[in-house]
């Protein structure tokens, strides 16, 4: 807390550390109060502008509280998501899962308020290392492997980011997190872009997302879908606005995600592919870089968090109640889970940018910004991607999950029912916000970074949207049999990784193994023979030369000792005889020497 600024991350971190000590009937109220306090702190911070929480560390100035309109709108939606996500998983009794989720949310809020690269990096890594537990807590057959892969990939991204930060500091002499030189990028800029782009799931750095999000626990996926990629979008908007390559990458993401979502059999992996596609719109908006494009990016990030979390809540409820997540094991659930069906349909209409639903007020801003900059190819392809979004998310998902052929086993059908009250309340709040943002977007627009007049509810926009949705509906009707879910594994870009891995294994098992074997044989026949010959020589030398000298000297000493031993016989006359004899010898020798 500094001059009125209260860092919400501190509240979440302290609250997380106390979770294990709050037990019994107090646990659930406590779980709800802590994220509410974090949200309240963000609301209070929204009245401020400037930098707070400035700490001197070595030669650097760490800024933990940079507050402006861009940071405020992202912080508000992230804090709100922490409340909804915690409410959705309120009945989860595993304290460690709540701790991981709050550390994850705290990391995201820390990044958003950071004004320097060092504090950003600390919170960035906190997100990676805490979110992996939301995958492991699923405790499925693949959870451990998927979690380790997720952690490995994000660690690689963190290394790239850190390398970029170090090079950037060497080049400019400070660590302030501001807009980079996107017109003439150097190596540090590219490395930082790779670090941010990996978390944003920019193709081809996206393969971790579909696998990880589909493997997370039912409530962990609600957190995952909101924080990592949208925090990365915030970082891109802050540091890379106007970088042309992002337009190309964003369009590729928007179309690439559609292709694989259409073919997907797992309901949550379909939504994960949808994240790749929808974040593509945001990345393209950052690349366009105009005020309208940045406003559209931020607005779409807010809308996306609302409808995507709602969709993951709906599919998470199906997973939680039935234990299944594949279309080929579900179907016909509208009669058993009517409330879940209703809320999921609202999420489907919201992501499809149907009139008066969330994305209707945001997605068109990015497309309009593209046309205003005369980048006609990009907005037209994004509009085509929007048609595909309605095809797989607005039609395929609700139809094959809640209608279509019933593929449920007897046990699955018996277990199917609407979830607990807290999950329904969270979905109710999410649905309400999706409708409010789409129908009355004025409040959202006032929070955006730039004050621009934009009206989504025009006759042209309405007619255009209905044409796209109508075309997608017709395509679904005509191609429905080809869209029938099939239980298969989609590897997409993983095909390259897997074949590269197989090639590496072949290299190790064949050429390198042959070289190692040949070297071993050469060493055994030549090197080992020479070594043994040298060893035998030194053994002979040790035995005959060194041991001969040592043993000969020892024998001489022993002989002399035997002869002198008589002096220790104890007879005084012998001792005197020996002494006088020696004295006589020395005397005679001396006299003889003098005479000479």
């Amino acid at each position: 807390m500094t001059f009125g600024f209260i860092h919400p991350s501190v509240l979440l971190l302290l609250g997380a550390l106390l979770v294990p000590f709050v037990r019994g009937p107090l646990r659930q109220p406590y779980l709800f109060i802590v994220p509410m306090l974090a949200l309240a702190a963000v609301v209070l911070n929204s009245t401020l502008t400037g930098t707070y929480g400035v700490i001197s560390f070595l030669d650097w100035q760490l800024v933990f509280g940079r507050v402006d309109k861009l940071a405020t709108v992202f912080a508000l939606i992230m804090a709100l998501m922490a409340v909804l996500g915690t409410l959705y998983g309120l009945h989860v009794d595993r304290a460690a899962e709540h701790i991981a989720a709050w550390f994850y949310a705290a990391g995201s809020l820390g990044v958003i308020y950071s004004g320097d690269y060092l504090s950003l990096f600390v919170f960035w890594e906190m997100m990676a290392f805490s979110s992996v537990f939301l995958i492991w807590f699923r405790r499925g057959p693949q959870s451990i492997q998927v979690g380790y892969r997720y952690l490995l990939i994000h660690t690689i991204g963190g290394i790239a980011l850190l390398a970029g930060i170090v090079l950037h500091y060497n080049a400019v002499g400070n660590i302030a997190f501001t807009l980079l030189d996107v017109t003439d990028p150097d190596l540090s800029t590219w490395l930082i872009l790779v670090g941010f782009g990996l978390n944003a799931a920019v193709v081809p750095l996206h393969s971790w997302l579909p696998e990880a999000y589909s493997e997370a626990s039912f409530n962990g996926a609600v957190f995952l879908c909101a924080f990592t990629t949208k925090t990365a979008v915030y970082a891109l908007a802050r540091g890379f606005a106007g970088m042309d390559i992002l337009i190309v990458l964003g369009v590729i993401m928007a179309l690439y995600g559609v292709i694989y979502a259409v073919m997907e059999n797992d309901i949550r992996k379909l939504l994960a592919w949808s994240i790749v596609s929808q974040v593509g719109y945001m990345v393209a908006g950052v690349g366009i870089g105009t005020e309208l494009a940045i406003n559209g990016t931020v607005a779409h990030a807010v809308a996306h968090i609302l409808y995507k979390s709602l969709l993951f809540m709906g599919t998470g409820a199906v997973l939680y109640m039935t234990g299944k997540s594949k279309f080929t094991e579900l179907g016909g659930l509208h009669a058993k889970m009517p409330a879940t069906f209703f809320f999921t349909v609202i999420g489907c209409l919201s992501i499809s940018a149907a009139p008066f639903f969330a994305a209707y007020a945001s997605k068109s801003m990015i497309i309009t910004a593209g046309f205003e900059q005369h980048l006609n190819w990009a907005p037209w392809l994004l509009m085509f991607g929007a048609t595909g979004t309605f095809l797989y998310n607005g039609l395929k998902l609700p139809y094959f999950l809640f209608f279509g052929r019933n593929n449920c086993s007897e046990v699955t059908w018996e277990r199917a029912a609407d979830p607990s009250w807290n999950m329904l309340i969270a979905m109710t709040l999410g649905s309400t916000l999706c409708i409010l943002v789409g129908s009355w977007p004025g409040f959202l627009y006032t929070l955006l970074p730039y004050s621009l007049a934009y009206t989504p509810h025009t006759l042209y926009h309405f007619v255009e949207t209905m044409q796209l949705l109508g075309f997608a509906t017709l395509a679904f009707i005509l191609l429905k049999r080809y869209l029938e879910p099939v239980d298969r594994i989609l590897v997409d870009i993983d095909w390259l990784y897997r074949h590269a891995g197989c090639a590496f294994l072949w290299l190790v098992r064949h050429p390198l193994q042959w070289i190692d074997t040949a070297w071993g044989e050469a060493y055994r026949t030549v090197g080992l023979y020479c070594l043994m010959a040298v060893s035998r020589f030194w053994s002979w030398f040790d035995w005959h030369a060194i041991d001969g000298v040592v043993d000969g000297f020892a024998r001489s000493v022993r002989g002399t000792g035997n002869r002198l031993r008589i002096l220790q016989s104890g007879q005084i006359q012998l001792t005197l005889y020996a002494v006088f004899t020696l004295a006589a010898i020395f005397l005679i020798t001396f006299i003889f020497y003098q005479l000479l």
Side-chain angles (χ1 to χ4, degrees), residues 518-572:
W519 176 257
E521 287 297 317
Y523 175 77
R524 186 180 67 84
T525 56
V526 179
L528 193 60
Y529 175 81
C530 295
L531 180 62
M532 292 303 295
V534 172
S535 299
R536 284 192 294 268
F537 167 76
W538 284 112
S539 176
W540 175 88
F541 181 80
D542 177 69
W543 179 259
H544 292 85
I546 297 177
D547 284 358
V549 172
V550 173
D551 291 349
F553 180 74
R555 285 192 293 268
S556 300
V557 171
R558 185 177 62 182
T560 305
N562 289 334
R563 289 175 174 82
L564 293 176
R565 188 171 53 185
I566 61 175
L567 297 177
Q568 300 296 325
S569 63
Q571 298 179 9
I572 188 64

Side-chain angles (χ1 to χ4, degrees), residues 123-466:
F123 287 113
W124 195 268
E125 292 304 292
M126 181 188 296
M127 290 174 56
F129 282 89
S130 56
S131 57
V132 70
F133 289 95
L134 301 178
I135 301 171
W136 285 338
F137 284 136
R138 167 80 179 277
R139 296 183 177 178
Q142 300 297 322
S143 298
I144 297 296
Q145 295 92 324
V146 171
Y148 275 122
R149 185 192 184 203
Y150 172 89
L151 187 59
L152 176 63
I153 291 176
H154 281 277
T155 301
I156 294 172
I159 292 171
L161 176 59
L162 181 59
I165 292 171
V166 171
L167 293 176
H168 178 73
Y169 173 73
N170 289 334
V172 302
N174 65 75
I175 56 172
F177 178 35
T178 56
L179 181 65
L180 295 168
D181 184 4
V182 298
T183 58
D184 187 22
D186 56 12
L187 179 59
S188 66
T189 304
W190 289 112
L191 287 172
I192 293 173
L193 179 62
V194 169
F196 290 163
L198 187 144
N199 272 29
V202 173
V203 178
L205 306 176
H206 68 286
S207 60
W208 58 270
L209 191 150
E211 185 179 47
Y213 286 18
S214 62
E215 192 61 34
S217 63
F218 77 93
N219 58 313
V222 176
F223 280 90
L224 287 171
C225 76
F227 290 101
T228 298
T229 50
K230 265 61 73 184
T231 304
V233 168
Y234 163 81
L236 290 172
R238 177 74 72 182
F240 290 91
M243 193 169 189
D244 292 338
I245 188 63
L246 294 179
I247 303 175
V248 178
L249 294 174
V251 172
I252 292 174
M253 291 173 67
L255 300 178
Y256 194 86
V258 168
I259 294 171
Y260 281 92
V262 168
M263 297 187 292
E264 188 53 61
N265 181 44
D266 189 287
I267 56 176
R268 297 202 304 168
K269 192 170 285 189
L270 180 149
L271 296 179
W273 281 114
S274 174
I275 292 176
V276 175
S277 177
Q278 295 302 301
V279 172
Y281 288 84
M282 305 172 210
V283 172
V286 172
I288 295 170
T290 63
E291 292 184 350
L292 180 60
I294 297 299
N295 272 4
T297 296
V298 176
H300 197 52
V302 172
H304 180 267
I305 290 173
L306 294 175
Y307 63 65
K308 188 59 65 176
S309 62
L310 176 59
L311 287 169
F312 268 98
M313 288 180 190
T315 55
V318 173
L319 172 65
Y320 180 70
M321 298 305 297
T322 66
K324 305 295 182 181
S325 62
K326 293 183 177 181
F327 287 112
T328 50
E329 299 174 332
L330 297 167
L333 294 177
H334 72 282
K336 298 283 286 185
M337 307 179 72
T340 303
F341 162 67
F342 175 74
F343 295 131
T344 303
V345 167
I346 292 178
C348 291
L349 293 174
S350 297
I351 191 175
S352 304
F356 309 107
F357 290 89
Y360 186 73
S362 60
K363 190 178 293 185
S364 58
M365 297 175 71
I366 300 173
I367 295 174
T368 301
F371 281 122
E372 287 185 354
Q373 293 301 110
H374 306 291
L375 301 168
N376 294 332
W377 65 273
W380 276 114
L381 289 176
L382 292 177
M383 290 176 66
F384 180 74
T387 304
T389 300
F390 183 65
L391 182 67
Y392 71 78
N393 225 138
L395 297 172
K396 177 182 176 179
L397 177 65
Y399 178 79
F400 289 111
L401 179 58
F402 295 102
F403 297 96
R405 184 168 64 244
N406 187 342
N407 300 310
C408 298
S409 65
E410 219 176 280
V411 175
T412 301
W413 185 254
E414 289 298 320
R415 292 178 58 181
D418 280 321
S420 59
W421 63 271
N422 59 295
M423 298 171 74
L424 291 175
I425 291 177
M427 287 190 282
T428 301
L429 293 175
S431 299
T432 302
L433 290 171
C434 284
I435 295 173
L436 288 176
V437 168
S439 301
W440 297 280
F443 175 73
L444 173 60
Y445 290 167
T446 60
L447 297 174
L448 298 179
Y450 303 102
S451 298
L452 298 175
Y454 181 80
T455 304
H457 298 291
T458 62
L459 180 60
Y460 175 81
H461 186 203
F462 178 82
V463 172
E464 178 187 64
T465 301
M466 295 308 297

Side-chain angles (χ1 to χ4, degrees), residues 62 104 220 263 442 545 581 593:
L62 306 185
Y104 183 33
M263 297 187 292
T581 302
Y593 176 75

